[in-house]
PDB file of all heavy atoms in Angstrom:
ATOM      1  N   ASP A 404      73.531  66.014 177.065  1.00 97.00           N
ATOM      2  CA  ASP A 404      73.993  66.695 175.852  1.00 97.00           C
ATOM      3  C   ASP A 404      73.998  65.680 174.708  1.00 97.00           C
ATOM      4  O   ASP A 404      73.731  64.492 174.923  1.00 97.00           O
ATOM      5  CB  ASP A 404      75.373  67.348 176.053  1.00 97.00           C
ATOM      6  CG  ASP A 404      76.402  66.353 176.552  1.00 97.00           C
ATOM      7  OD1 ASP A 404      76.219  65.132 176.329  1.00 97.00           O
ATOM      8  OD2 ASP A 404      77.392  66.785 177.168  1.00 97.00           O
ATOM      9  N   LEU A 405      74.339  66.163 173.514  1.00 97.00           N
ATOM     10  CA  LEU A 405      74.292  65.281 172.345  1.00 97.00           C
ATOM     11  C   LEU A 405      75.249  64.100 172.500  1.00 97.00           C
ATOM     12  O   LEU A 405      74.922  62.963 172.144  1.00 97.00           O
ATOM     13  CB  LEU A 405      74.606  66.077 171.070  1.00 97.00           C
ATOM     14  CG  LEU A 405      74.661  65.262 169.790  1.00 97.00           C
ATOM     15  CD1 LEU A 405      73.311  64.623 169.472  1.00 97.00           C
ATOM     16  CD2 LEU A 405      75.119  66.129 168.610  1.00 97.00           C
ATOM     17  N   ASP A 406      76.455  64.356 173.050  1.00 97.00           N
ATOM     18  CA  ASP A 406      77.431  63.277 173.225  1.00 97.00           C
ATOM     19  C   ASP A 406      76.857  62.136 174.061  1.00 97.00           C
ATOM     20  O   ASP A 406      77.015  60.965 173.723  1.00 97.00           O
ATOM     21  CB  ASP A 406      78.702  63.804 173.911  1.00 97.00           C
ATOM     22  CG  ASP A 406      79.593  64.530 172.922  1.00 97.00           C
ATOM     23  OD1 ASP A 406      79.396  64.318 171.702  1.00 97.00           O
ATOM     24  OD2 ASP A 406      80.461  65.299 173.367  1.00 97.00           O
ATOM     25  N   GLU A 407      76.169  62.519 175.141  1.00 97.00           N
ATOM     26  CA  GLU A 407      75.619  61.479 176.010  1.00 97.00           C
ATOM     27  C   GLU A 407      74.492  60.722 175.294  1.00 97.00           C
ATOM     28  O   GLU A 407      74.391  59.494 175.403  1.00 97.00           O
ATOM     29  CB  GLU A 407      75.106  62.097 177.306  1.00 97.00           C
ATOM     30  CG  GLU A 407      74.740  61.045 178.336  1.00 97.00           C
ATOM     31  CD  GLU A 407      74.164  61.665 179.605  1.00 97.00           C
ATOM     32  OE1 GLU A 407      74.950  62.043 180.476  1.00 97.00           O
ATOM     33  OE2 GLU A 407      72.932  61.758 179.718  1.00 97.00           O
ATOM     34  N   ALA A 408      73.667  61.466 174.550  1.00 97.00           N
ATOM     35  CA  ALA A 408      72.572  60.817 173.813  1.00 97.00           C
ATOM     36  C   ALA A 408      73.147  59.820 172.804  1.00 97.00           C
ATOM     37  O   ALA A 408      72.675  58.681 172.687  1.00 97.00           O
ATOM     38  CB  ALA A 408      71.721  61.872 173.114  1.00 97.00           C
ATOM     39  N   LEU A 409      74.188  60.237 172.098  1.00 97.00           N
ATOM     40  CA  LEU A 409      74.799  59.354 171.098  1.00 97.00           C
ATOM     41  C   LEU A 409      75.435  58.140 171.765  1.00 97.00           C
ATOM     42  O   LEU A 409      75.320  57.007 171.280  1.00 97.00           O
ATOM     43  CB  LEU A 409      75.862  60.123 170.304  1.00 97.00           C
ATOM     44  CG  LEU A 409      75.321  61.096 169.248  1.00 97.00           C
ATOM     45  CD1 LEU A 409      76.406  62.058 168.787  1.00 97.00           C
ATOM     46  CD2 LEU A 409      74.758  60.327 168.049  1.00 97.00           C
ATOM     47  N   LYS A 410      76.101  58.371 172.868  1.00 97.00           N
ATOM     48  CA  LYS A 410      76.781  57.255 173.551  1.00 97.00           C
ATOM     49  C   LYS A 410      75.759  56.201 173.975  1.00 97.00           C
ATOM     50  O   LYS A 410      75.947  55.001 173.753  1.00 97.00           O
ATOM     51  CB  LYS A 410      77.541  57.786 174.765  1.00 97.00           C
ATOM     52  CG  LYS A 410      78.433  56.731 175.361  1.00 97.00           C
ATOM     53  CD  LYS A 410      79.197  57.189 176.578  1.00 97.00           C
ATOM     54  CE  LYS A 410      79.860  56.003 177.247  1.00 97.00           C
ATOM     55  NZ  LYS A 410      78.948  54.891 177.539  1.00 97.00           N
ATOM     56  N   LYS A 411      74.663  56.664 174.557  1.00 96.00           N
ATOM     57  CA  LYS A 411      73.626  55.718 175.007  1.00 96.00           C
ATOM     58  C   LYS A 411      72.999  54.994 173.824  1.00 96.00           C
ATOM     59  O   LYS A 411      72.730  53.793 173.890  1.00 96.00           O
ATOM     60  CB  LYS A 411      72.532  56.472 175.764  1.00 96.00           C
ATOM     61  CG  LYS A 411      72.900  56.807 177.188  1.00 96.00           C
ATOM     62  CD  LYS A 411      71.669  57.368 177.868  1.00 96.00           C
ATOM     63  CE  LYS A 411      71.991  57.909 179.240  1.00 96.00           C
ATOM     64  NZ  LYS A 411      70.844  58.629 179.791  1.00 96.00           N
ATOM     65  N   ALA A 412      72.740  55.734 172.745  1.00 97.00           N
ATOM     66  CA  ALA A 412      72.107  55.104 171.573  1.00 97.00           C
ATOM     67  C   ALA A 412      73.043  54.031 171.009  1.00 97.00           C
ATOM     68  O   ALA A 412      72.620  52.896 170.728  1.00 97.00           O
ATOM     69  CB  ALA A 412      71.782  56.154 170.510  1.00 97.00           C
ATOM     70  N   TYR A 413      74.324  54.348 170.867  1.00 97.00           N
ATOM     71  CA  TYR A 413      75.267  53.356 170.327  1.00 97.00           C
ATOM     72  C   TYR A 413      75.494  52.197 171.297  1.00 97.00           C
ATOM     73  O   TYR A 413      75.715  51.059 170.889  1.00 97.00           O
ATOM     74  CB  TYR A 413      76.586  54.030 169.935  1.00 97.00           C
ATOM     75  CG  TYR A 413      76.509  54.620 168.534  1.00 97.00           C
ATOM     76  CD1 TYR A 413      76.528  55.981 168.320  1.00 97.00           C
ATOM     77  CD2 TYR A 413      76.367  53.772 167.424  1.00 97.00           C
ATOM     78  CE1 TYR A 413      76.428  56.515 167.038  1.00 97.00           C
ATOM     79  CE2 TYR A 413      76.265  54.295 166.142  1.00 97.00           C
ATOM     80  CZ  TYR A 413      76.297  55.667 165.956  1.00 97.00           C
ATOM     81  OH  TYR A 413      76.190  56.163 164.683  1.00 97.00           O
ATOM     82  N   ASP A 414      75.434  52.500 172.591  1.00 95.00           N
ATOM     83  CA  ASP A 414      75.544  51.464 173.600  1.00 95.00           C
ATOM     84  C   ASP A 414      74.424  50.430 173.415  1.00 95.00           C
ATOM     85  O   ASP A 414      74.645  49.211 173.417  1.00 95.00           O
ATOM     86  CB  ASP A 414      75.385  52.152 174.963  1.00 95.00           C
ATOM     87  CG  ASP A 414      76.217  51.487 176.022  1.00 95.00           C
ATOM     88  OD1 ASP A 414      77.015  50.619 175.640  1.00 95.00           O
ATOM     89  OD2 ASP A 414      76.044  51.840 177.203  1.00 95.00           O
ATOM     90  N   ALA A 415      73.221  50.943 173.225  1.00 95.00           N
ATOM     91  CA  ALA A 415      72.064  50.059 173.038  1.00 95.00           C
ATOM     92  C   ALA A 415      72.171  49.305 171.714  1.00 95.00           C
ATOM     93  O   ALA A 415      71.886  48.096 171.646  1.00 95.00           O
ATOM     94  CB  ALA A 415      70.775  50.871 173.085  1.00 95.00           C
ATOM     95  N   VAL A 416      72.614  49.992 170.671  1.00 96.00           N
ATOM     96  CA  VAL A 416      72.781  49.331 169.360  1.00 96.00           C
ATOM     97  C   VAL A 416      73.760  48.167 169.491  1.00 96.00           C
ATOM     98  O   VAL A 416      73.559  47.092 168.918  1.00 96.00           O
ATOM     99  CB  VAL A 416      73.277  50.359 168.300  1.00 96.00           C
ATOM    100  CG1 VAL A 416      73.839  49.659 167.071  1.00 96.00           C
ATOM    101  CG2 VAL A 416      72.136  51.297 167.903  1.00 96.00           C
TER     102      VAL A 416
END
Side-chain angles (χ1 to χ4, degrees):
D404 54 23
L405 177 63
D406 281 342
E407 190 183 274
L409 284 165
K410 189 181 170 308
K411 281 188 188 171
Y413 275 112
D414 213 9
V416 164

